[in-house]
Amino acid sequence: MSENNLERIGIVRRSEKNQKIYQMLKAGILDGTYPVGMSLNEQDIAKEAGVGSAPVREAFRLLESEGLVAVRPWKGVVVLEMSDEELRELMQCREAVETMAMKLSFNAFRNDEVRFRALMEIDEALEQARSVSEESREFHQDTNAAIHNVWIRNGGNQRLIGICNELYQVIRRCRPPQNYTAERQRECCEEHRMIRDAIAELNIEKATAALVFHLQNATDYRIEQNRKMADSLK
Protein backbone atom coordinates (compact mmCIF):
# COMPACT_ATOMS: atom_id res chain seq x y z
CA MET A 1 0.00 0.00 0.00
CA SER A 2 1.33 3.43 -0.91
CA GLU A 3 2.37 6.03 1.63
CA ASN A 4 -0.43 8.34 0.42
CA ASN A 5 -3.05 5.65 0.98
CA LEU A 6 -1.73 4.97 4.49
CA GLU A 7 -1.86 8.68 5.24
CA ARG A 8 -5.48 8.92 4.03
CA ILE A 9 -6.47 5.92 6.17
CA GLY A 10 -4.87 7.59 9.18
CA ILE A 11 -6.81 10.81 8.54
CA VAL A 12 -10.10 8.91 8.21
CA ARG A 13 -9.50 7.01 11.46
CA ARG A 14 -8.62 10.21 13.33
CA SER A 15 -11.75 11.86 11.94
CA GLU A 16 -13.92 8.92 13.05
CA LYS A 17 -12.37 9.02 16.51
CA ASN A 18 -12.94 12.79 16.77
CA GLN A 19 -16.58 12.37 15.79
CA LYS A 20 -17.09 9.54 18.27
CA ILE A 21 -15.81 11.65 21.17
CA TYR A 22 -17.76 14.70 19.98
CA GLN A 23 -21.01 12.72 19.73
CA MET A 24 -20.42 11.11 23.12
CA LEU A 25 -19.87 14.46 24.85
CA LYS A 26 -22.73 16.17 23.04
CA ALA A 27 -25.13 13.39 24.01
CA GLY A 28 -23.94 13.62 27.62
CA ILE A 29 -24.53 17.37 27.69
CA LEU A 30 -28.00 17.11 26.16
CA ASP A 31 -29.19 14.31 28.45
CA GLY A 32 -27.77 15.92 31.60
CA THR A 33 -24.91 13.48 32.22
CA TYR A 34 -22.68 16.56 32.05
CA PRO A 35 -24.87 19.19 33.75
CA VAL A 36 -24.72 22.95 33.34
CA GLY A 37 -21.65 24.44 35.07
CA MET A 38 -19.69 21.18 35.10
CA SER A 39 -16.00 21.37 34.17
CA LEU A 40 -14.93 18.82 31.57
CA ASN A 41 -11.46 17.45 32.20
CA GLU A 42 -9.55 16.61 29.03
CA GLN A 43 -7.36 13.92 30.61
CA ASP A 44 -10.25 12.22 32.41
CA ILE A 45 -12.40 12.07 29.28
CA ALA A 46 -9.51 10.80 27.16
CA LYS A 47 -8.77 8.07 29.71
CA GLU A 48 -12.44 7.08 29.99
CA ALA A 49 -12.81 6.88 26.20
CA GLY A 50 -9.47 5.17 25.66
CA VAL A 51 -8.14 7.84 23.31
CA GLY A 52 -5.44 10.48 23.25
CA SER A 53 -5.95 14.14 24.07
CA ALA A 54 -6.21 15.34 20.46
CA PRO A 55 -9.72 13.92 19.75
CA VAL A 56 -10.99 15.37 23.02
CA ARG A 57 -9.59 18.81 22.22
CA GLU A 58 -11.19 18.68 18.77
CA ALA A 59 -14.52 17.66 20.34
CA PHE A 60 -14.26 20.61 22.74
CA ARG A 61 -13.66 22.92 19.77
CA LEU A 62 -16.78 21.66 17.99
CA LEU A 63 -18.91 21.87 21.14
CA GLU A 64 -17.69 25.42 21.75
CA SER A 65 -18.65 26.39 18.18
CA GLU A 66 -22.20 25.16 18.94
CA GLY A 67 -22.41 27.13 22.18
CA LEU A 68 -22.56 24.05 24.38
CA VAL A 69 -19.28 24.67 26.24
CA ALA A 70 -16.91 27.55 26.87
CA VAL A 71 -13.33 27.93 28.08
CA ARG A 72 -13.39 29.73 31.45
CA PRO A 73 -10.39 31.01 33.45
CA TRP A 74 -9.43 28.64 36.28
CA LYS A 75 -12.24 26.24 35.32
CA GLY A 76 -11.19 25.04 31.88
CA VAL A 77 -13.95 23.77 29.60
CA VAL A 78 -17.37 24.33 31.21
CA VAL A 79 -20.84 23.19 30.11
CA LEU A 80 -22.86 26.30 29.28
CA GLU A 81 -26.41 27.25 30.07
CA MET A 82 -28.29 29.06 27.32
CA SER A 83 -28.90 32.78 27.56
CA ASP A 84 -32.49 34.00 27.86
CA GLU A 85 -32.45 35.10 24.22
CA GLU A 86 -31.02 31.78 22.99
CA LEU A 87 -33.65 29.87 24.95
CA ARG A 88 -36.45 32.07 23.64
CA GLU A 89 -35.25 31.58 20.06
CA LEU A 90 -35.10 27.82 20.60
CA MET A 91 -38.64 27.79 21.97
CA GLN A 92 -39.82 29.85 18.99
CA CYS A 93 -38.43 27.11 16.74
CA ARG A 94 -40.23 24.49 18.82
CA GLU A 95 -43.48 26.44 18.58
CA ALA A 96 -43.18 26.63 14.80
CA VAL A 97 -42.51 22.93 14.25
CA GLU A 98 -44.99 21.67 16.87
CA THR A 99 -47.84 23.79 15.56
CA MET A 100 -47.10 22.42 12.10
CA ALA A 101 -47.14 18.89 13.54
CA MET A 102 -50.44 19.67 15.27
CA LYS A 103 -52.03 20.84 12.02
CA LEU A 104 -50.77 17.76 10.18
CA SER A 105 -52.03 15.46 12.94
CA PHE A 106 -55.63 16.49 12.29
CA ASN A 107 -55.48 14.53 9.04
CA ALA A 108 -55.15 11.45 11.27
CA PHE A 109 -57.46 12.65 14.06
CA ARG A 110 -60.41 12.85 11.68
CA ASN A 111 -60.39 9.05 11.88
CA ASP A 112 -62.49 8.24 14.96
CA GLU A 113 -60.35 5.29 15.99
CA VAL A 114 -57.07 7.20 15.71
CA ARG A 115 -58.52 10.15 17.61
CA PHE A 116 -59.86 7.88 20.34
CA ARG A 117 -56.43 6.25 20.82
CA ALA A 118 -54.75 9.66 20.91
CA LEU A 119 -57.18 10.95 23.54
CA MET A 120 -56.66 7.81 25.62
CA GLU A 121 -52.88 8.34 25.51
CA ILE A 122 -53.25 11.95 26.64
CA ASP A 123 -55.70 11.03 29.40
CA GLU A 124 -53.37 8.32 30.70
CA ALA A 125 -50.39 10.70 30.75
CA LEU A 126 -52.47 13.40 32.49
CA GLU A 127 -53.57 10.92 35.13
CA GLN A 128 -49.95 9.90 35.72
CA ALA A 129 -48.87 13.54 35.93
CA ARG A 130 -51.55 14.34 38.52
CA SER A 131 -50.64 11.35 40.67
CA VAL A 132 -46.91 12.00 41.03
CA SER A 133 -45.46 13.76 44.04
CA GLU A 134 -43.64 17.07 43.92
CA GLU A 135 -40.38 15.15 44.30
CA SER A 136 -41.07 13.19 41.09
CA ARG A 137 -40.54 16.11 38.75
CA GLU A 138 -38.34 14.25 36.30
CA PHE A 139 -41.14 11.73 35.82
CA HIS A 140 -43.47 14.65 35.11
CA GLN A 141 -41.12 15.75 32.33
CA ASP A 142 -41.51 12.30 30.78
CA THR A 143 -45.31 12.45 30.90
CA ASN A 144 -45.17 15.93 29.36
CA ALA A 145 -43.06 14.57 26.49
CA ALA A 146 -45.48 11.66 26.04
CA ILE A 147 -48.40 14.06 25.60
CA HIS A 148 -46.60 16.21 23.02
CA ASN A 149 -45.52 13.07 21.19
CA VAL A 150 -49.18 12.26 20.47
CA TRP A 151 -49.65 15.05 17.90
CA ILE A 152 -46.01 15.04 16.80
CA ARG A 153 -46.18 11.32 15.94
CA ASN A 154 -49.64 11.52 14.38
CA GLY A 155 -48.48 14.36 12.15
CA GLY A 156 -46.78 11.61 10.17
CA ASN A 157 -43.88 13.73 8.87
CA GLN A 158 -40.75 11.78 9.82
CA ARG A 159 -38.37 14.68 9.26
CA LEU A 160 -40.54 16.91 11.42
CA ILE A 161 -40.62 14.24 14.12
CA GLY A 162 -36.81 14.15 14.10
CA ILE A 163 -36.57 17.94 14.40
CA CYS A 164 -39.06 18.01 17.28
CA ASN A 165 -37.18 15.30 19.16
CA GLU A 166 -33.84 17.06 18.73
CA LEU A 167 -35.28 20.38 19.89
CA TYR A 168 -36.83 18.71 22.94
CA GLN A 169 -33.49 17.18 23.91
CA VAL A 170 -31.79 20.57 23.81
CA ILE A 171 -34.61 22.30 25.68
CA ARG A 172 -34.70 19.62 28.37
CA ARG A 173 -31.07 20.44 29.16
CA CYS A 174 -32.23 23.96 30.06
CA ARG A 175 -34.85 22.80 32.55
CA PRO A 176 -33.33 20.91 35.49
CA PRO A 177 -35.93 18.62 37.14
CA GLN A 178 -35.36 20.16 40.58
CA ASN A 179 -36.68 23.51 39.29
CA TYR A 180 -39.95 22.10 37.97
CA THR A 181 -42.37 23.25 40.66
CA ALA A 182 -45.58 21.57 41.75
CA GLU A 183 -47.49 24.71 40.74
CA ARG A 184 -46.08 24.54 37.21
CA GLN A 185 -46.97 20.84 37.08
CA ARG A 186 -50.61 21.72 37.79
CA GLU A 187 -50.59 24.50 35.20
CA CYS A 188 -49.16 22.12 32.58
CA CYS A 189 -51.91 19.60 33.27
CA GLU A 190 -54.57 22.27 32.74
CA GLU A 191 -52.90 23.55 29.55
CA HIS A 192 -52.63 20.02 28.20
CA ARG A 193 -56.28 19.44 29.09
CA MET A 194 -57.23 22.44 26.92
CA ILE A 195 -55.31 20.95 23.99
CA ARG A 196 -56.85 17.53 24.59
CA ASP A 197 -60.40 18.93 24.59
CA ALA A 198 -59.79 20.83 21.35
CA ILE A 199 -58.58 17.61 19.70
CA ALA A 200 -61.70 15.82 20.97
CA GLU A 201 -63.81 18.56 19.35
CA LEU A 202 -61.78 18.32 16.13
CA ASN A 203 -61.19 22.07 16.44
CA ILE A 204 -57.80 22.62 14.83
CA GLU A 205 -57.74 26.40 15.45
CA LYS A 206 -58.52 25.93 19.15
CA ALA A 207 -55.96 23.12 19.50
CA THR A 208 -53.23 25.16 17.82
CA ALA A 209 -54.00 28.24 19.92
CA ALA A 210 -53.95 26.17 23.12
CA LEU A 211 -50.60 24.65 22.11
CA VAL A 212 -49.10 28.08 21.42
CA PHE A 213 -50.42 29.32 24.80
CA HIS A 214 -48.83 26.33 26.54
CA LEU A 215 -45.44 26.70 24.83
CA GLN A 216 -45.27 30.43 25.48
CA ASN A 217 -46.01 29.85 29.16
CA ALA A 218 -43.31 27.17 29.18
CA THR A 219 -40.85 29.66 27.66
CA ASP A 220 -41.57 32.31 30.29
CA TYR A 221 -41.31 29.72 33.06
CA ARG A 222 -37.96 28.34 31.89
CA ILE A 223 -36.46 31.81 31.54
CA GLU A 224 -37.65 32.71 35.03
CA GLN A 225 -36.11 29.52 36.45
CA ASN A 226 -32.83 30.11 34.62
CA ARG A 227 -32.62 33.59 36.13
CA LYS A 228 -33.33 32.27 39.61
CA MET A 229 -30.61 29.65 39.17
CA ALA A 230 -28.13 32.26 37.95
CA ASP A 231 -28.94 34.51 40.94
CA SER A 232 -28.42 31.62 43.36
CA LEU A 233 -24.93 31.02 41.96
CA LYS A 234 -23.79 34.63 42.44
Side-chain angles (χ1 to χ4, degrees):
M1 185 176 294
S2 70
E3 185 175 334
N4 286 341
N5 284 339
L6 288 172
E7 183 178 352
R8 281 197 293 271
I9 290 172
I11 291 172
V12 169
R13 287 176 177 171
R14 286 196 296 275
S15 176
E16 290 174 349
K17 193 175 295 184
N18 292 349
Q19 280 297 312
K20 179 181 177 181
I21 301 303
Y22 159 71
Q23 293 294 344
M24 180 192 77
L25 292 176
K26 183 174 182 178
I29 290 170
L30 295 181
D31 69 16
T33 301
Y34 305 116
V36 170
M38 181 178 181
S39 296
L40 302 178
N41 185 279
E42 179 183 309
Q43 286 74 31
D44 289 347
I45 291 171
K47 183 177 180 181
E48 178 185 349
V51 299
S53 295
V56 180
R57 285 196 296 269
E58 175 62 15
F60 285 165
R61 185 187 69 77
L62 292 172
L63 293 169
E64 185 174 26
S65 72
E66 295 181 2
L68 294 175
V69 303
V71 179
R72 294 281 174 80
W74 312 110
K75 290 187 177 181
V77 178
V78 177
V79 178
L80 283 181
E81 178 60 280
M82 288 186 178
S83 68
D84 290 352
E85 185 59 29
E86 288 171 328
L87 182 54
R88 192 173 295 280
E89 289 177 356
L90 190 65
M91 290 297 290
Q92 287 171 346
C93 292
R94 182 184 179 187
E95 181 181 318
V97 296
E98 274 211 48
T99 52
M100 176 59 73
M102 176 66 80
K103 291 173 182 177
L104 291 173
S105 71
F106 268 69
N107 294 325
F109 293 154
R110 289 187 179 91
N111 179 295
D112 290 343
E113 185 177 344
V114 173
R115 186 171 71 258
F116 177 77
R117 288 200 304 267
L119 295 174
M120 289 292 291
E121 284 186 63
I122 296 173
D123 287 342
E124 182 180 349
L126 284 171
E127 184 60 34
Q128 291 176 338
R130 282 193 294 266
S131 67
V132 299
S133 67
E134 185 178 347
E135 290 73 27
S136 303
R137 293 164 188 160
E138 188 166 6
F139 177 77
H140 185 79
Q141 286 192 117
D142 293 336
T143 60
N144 179 76
I147 292 172
H148 285 254
N149 189 52
V150 169
W151 49 83
I152 292 171
R153 185 186 69 249
N154 279 286
N157 185 313
Q158 295 303 312
R159 190 172 294 274
L160 198 61
I161 291 171
I163 293 171
C164 287
N165 289 338
E166 185 173 344
L167 283 170
Y168 186 78
Q169 281 187 323
V170 178
I171 292 166
R172 185 164 181 163
R173 180 175 69 91
C174 309
R175 186 184 58 187
Q178 62 268 28
N179 286 341
Y180 205 83
T181 65
E183 180 182 2
R184 182 58 195 153
Q185 289 182 30
R186 289 190 293 271
E187 290 174 351
C188 277
C189 285
E190 181 56 33
E191 291 162 14
H192 286 140
R193 172 64 64 180
M194 292 169 59
I195 299 170
R196 182 258 182 224
D197 291 346
I199 293 173
E201 297 167 12
L202 275 181
N203 190 326
I204 188 170
E205 290 81 11
K206 186 176 177 181
T208 303
L211 175 59
V212 169
F213 176 73
H214 168 61
L215 292 176
Q216 289 178 350
N217 283 345
T219 300
D220 293 341
Y221 174 77
R222 292 185 182 104
I223 288 175
E224 179 187 2
Q225 291 300 314
N226 284 349
R227 288 175 178 172
K228 286 181 179 179
M229 181 181 291
D231 290 343
S232 71
L233 296 174
K234 289 180 180 178

